[in-house]
Amino acid sequence: MAFVSAAAIRPTSFVGARVCSVAPSAATVTMAARSASVPFLPQPAACDGSMAGDVGFDPLNLSGFIDIKFLREGELKNGRVAMLAFLGVLVQEFVHLPAPQFSNPVATEAFFQVPAGGLWQIFLACGLVEFISHRGKLSYNDMFDGGREPGNFGFDPLGMYKGTPAEKKKLELAEVKNGRLAMIGIGGVIHSNFIYHQPIVSQLTHWVPITQALK
């Protein structure tokens, strides 16, 4: 396509009438960059590919209103929790505390059987870990003071994050992808528990059609 700029206008004749013909210029239209993951949407300005796993997927344009670092922090934390949750759902099917209220292998049902005191202990422990890991800086405005990167709390007990920049990028990408997959996976597990009322491994070994499960 081409825009018409200040065109060269020259007289001509058509059936005796005096009209003008417009000569197009060589200026061309520069198309807006498109998102690699959602080609029919424009590329979000904040999603510049500098972060691991950034493929321009922001259909709600949240990065246009919220700091991209804050969004990445949330994604990483939710992904880590989802990975632990998925593992926990599988483990608690076989391993649990020796008491009747802890013996239900269906995670969604076991949650409501745990004593309230136990749940409060878990919630308070999560809040304490959050406060300590952030060194008390929990607000949107001061969370990244000092140049801290999203999701980086210096926790690396196995020393895996000490390689070359390329190796670090590979680990960052692996964490983001596994976290995203775990979030989808734990969502599927929860819905499956609601529908089948059956633990996950048992569903694989004793498959029941959904039509029968909904009866």
Side-chain angles (χ1 to χ4, degrees), residues 114-127:
V114 175
L119 292 178
W120 277 112
Q121 290 176 14
I122 295 173
F123 295 149
L124 290 174
C126 291

Side-chain angles (χ1 to χ4, degrees), residues 194-197 208-215:
F194 282 143
I195 294 172
Y196 289 94
H197 303 284
V208 176
I210 190 171
T211 52
Q212 182 177 339
L214 294 174
K215 289 182 179 179

Side-chain angles (χ1 to χ4, degrees), residues 84-169:
L84 291 172
F86 196 97
L87 178 62
V89 166
L90 299 179
V91 170
Q92 67 91 40
E93 185 174 341
F94 305 99
V95 181
H96 48 76
L97 296 176
Q101 60 266 40
F102 302 117
S103 61
N104 194 332
V106 181
T108 52
E109 297 174 2
F111 177 84
F112 297 100
Q113 295 177 2
V114 175
L119 292 178
W120 277 112
Q121 290 176 14
I122 295 173
F123 295 149
L124 290 174
C126 291
L128 184 61
V129 169
E130 188 82 351
F131 184 83
I132 294 174
S133 62
H134 281 279
R135 295 180 173 83
K137 297 180 178 181
L138 299 174
S139 73
Y140 181 85
N141 295 322
D142 64 3
M143 184 175 290
F144 300 104
D145 285 355
R148 183 180 68 83
E149 297 179 359
N152 188 352
F153 299 99
F155 182 77
D156 184 21
L158 299 180
M160 299 179 65
Y161 198 65
K162 295 180 179 179
T164 64
E167 292 172 338
K168 290 181 179 180
K169 282 290 185 182

Side-chain angles (χ1 to χ4, degrees), residues 1 28-34:
M1 296 179 61
T28 58
V29 176
T30 302
M31 301 297 293
R34 294 291 172 178

Side-chain angles (χ1 to χ4, degrees), residues 72-83 179 182-183 186:
R72 172 46 62 96
E73 179 98 349
E75 180 182 30
L76 287 172
K77 284 187 176 181
N78 280 280
R80 291 166 181 172
V81 170
M83 286 187 279
M183 286 188 278
I186 195 63

